[in-house]
Amino acid sequence: EWLAARWPSRGGELADRLNGLPKYVVSSTLEDPDWNNSAVLRGDVVNEVSKLKRELDGEIVVPASFQLVQTLMEHDLVDELRLKIFSVVLGAGKRLFGETNDKKPMRLVDAKTVEGHVAVLTYQPVRDVERASGGARLQDKPATALSRGIRERA
């Protein structure tokens, strides 16, 4: 609803692209979305997204829905995670991943800085934990990859 209230009235290349793309909304209350090319996914979100992944060609992007991303990660339905880290320290906030049933090791595949102060980190799930660890402890791998990725671009 937040995106739907802002993008339909905007113009330009990005707005035209977003307004023209198909959009799938996960909601237990929304019946008829106003934004064009929008459909509400009803029922079990894991089954519905699994079906979309099989049927659609291209990316499925989830903008800023922590609860949905957590659910999709829990069921191994996330192929790539793109995080934007802004250089602001807050005294409090919500955990990005909340509570999970088990560890979900991720591999840093790209790190770049945009607009001089925003780090854009791209992770992919590690499906074969032993191969990805390379003998190091899993909790050490993201920090090592992150420092190497930022240094290479500095």
Side-chain angles (χ1 to χ4, degrees), residues 13-135:
E13 186 177 334
L14 178 59
D16 292 344
R17 180 166 156 69
L18 286 175
N19 289 325
L21 286 172
K23 292 163 278 296
Y24 301 92
V25 181
V26 175
S27 176
S28 60
T29 58
L30 184 63
E31 294 291 327
D32 188 26
D34 293 330
W35 201 0
N36 66 316
N37 297 329
S38 294
V40 177
L41 297 180
R42 301 189 195 297
D44 182 2
V45 67
V46 172
N47 288 336
E48 291 297 316
V49 172
S50 294
K51 186 166 62 170
L52 279 177
K53 284 185 70 158
R54 287 189 304 272
E55 294 174 357
L56 297 178
D57 184 30
E59 294 183 342
I60 299 172
V61 179
V62 179
S65 176
F66 299 134
Q67 184 178 1
L68 179 57
V69 169
Q70 288 171 3
T71 300
L72 297 178
M73 286 188 69
E74 189 77 21
H75 294 278
D76 294 320
L77 291 172
V78 173
D79 297 316
E80 187 171 272
L81 188 63
R82 297 178 199 151
L83 301 175
K84 287 185 178 181
I85 312 296
F86 293 82
S87 57
V88 176
V89 177
L90 302 175
K94 187 174 182 179
R95 288 179 56 147
L96 178 58
F97 298 107
E99 298 297 323
T100 61
N101 289 337
D102 58 355
K103 284 185 180 179
K104 299 290 184 186
M106 305 291 284
R107 177 184 304 112
L108 182 68
V109 295
D110 191 36
K112 59 186 170 191
T113 303
V114 297
E115 300 175 14
H117 66 280
V118 178
V120 180
L121 309 177
T122 304
Y123 290 91
Q124 292 176 345
V126 174
R127 306 284 189 215
D128 181 351
V129 175
E130 184 177 335
R131 180 173 43 95
S133 70

